[in-house]
Amino acid sequence: PLSVFIPCTTLCWPAAVSFAVDLETAYHTKLTLDWRTGVAATDWDTIAKKEHLDQLSVEMRKVEGAIREIYAEMLQLQQREQEMRDLNEETNSRVAWFSIASLAVCVGSAGCQLLYLKKFFQRKKLL
């Protein structure tokens, strides 16, 4: 397979894949991608040969890498949770102030209507 190495990421596809020349070939062409990141993208066999490690040491490094990824993801999730909590509190505050403003507008409108009706009935000499 043909591999393109990107830092912390590996993208692999068969070398037999060619670009379609016409539209009919393009419709029937299938492209399969094997996308790996983090520990899954690491070539452990090369590392074991390079550093003269036994199988147990390689497995320990895999586990250590997986633990580091899980921990980093947990920290990222905590950060996102904090951001969502802050956004939620800000939205709740805005809704509360909007409700207070709506109530004030309703009370003000009711007061204006009361004054208008009072003057109207006084002019008509019904009050």
Side-chain angles (χ1 to χ4, degrees), residues 27-123:
Y27 281 134
H28 297 292
T29 301
K30 293 182 181 179
L31 180 64
T32 304
L33 297 176
D34 183 19
W35 191 268
R36 297 180 185 164
T37 60
V39 176
T42 307
D43 187 10
W44 293 106
D45 293 332
T46 306
I47 293 173
K49 289 176 185 176
K50 184 177 179 182
E51 297 183 14
H52 306 292
L53 299 174
D54 60 344
Q55 190 64 26
L56 181 62
S57 298
V58 172
E59 289 299 320
M60 291 295 288
R61 286 211 180 169
K62 285 181 186 178
V63 170
E64 181 184 4
I67 290 170
R68 287 182 192 275
E69 282 185 1
I70 291 169
Y71 183 71
E73 186 174 344
M74 185 183 69
L75 291 178
Q76 181 184 13
L77 288 174
Q78 285 177 345
Q79 179 66 30
R80 288 181 60 198
E81 178 189 6
Q82 181 64 37
E83 291 171 2
M84 292 296 171
R85 189 179 306 123
D86 293 343
L87 180 64
N88 188 24
E89 290 172 2
E90 183 180 340
T91 304
N92 286 341
S93 174
R94 287 180 181 178
V95 168
W97 282 110
F98 181 75
S99 298
I100 291 169
S102 296
L103 183 63
V105 167
C106 287
V107 169
S109 176
C112 289
Q113 286 179 355
L114 187 66
L115 290 175
Y116 174 78
L117 289 174
K118 183 178 178 183
K119 286 182 183 179
F120 174 77
F121 288 123
Q122 283 175 349
R123 277 183 283 167

Side-chain angles (χ1 to χ4, degrees), residues 8-25:
C8 298
T9 310
T10 305
L11 175 65
C12 304
W13 64 80
V17 173
S18 62
F19 294 103
V21 178
D22 60 353
L23 193 57
E24 184 65 29
T25 307

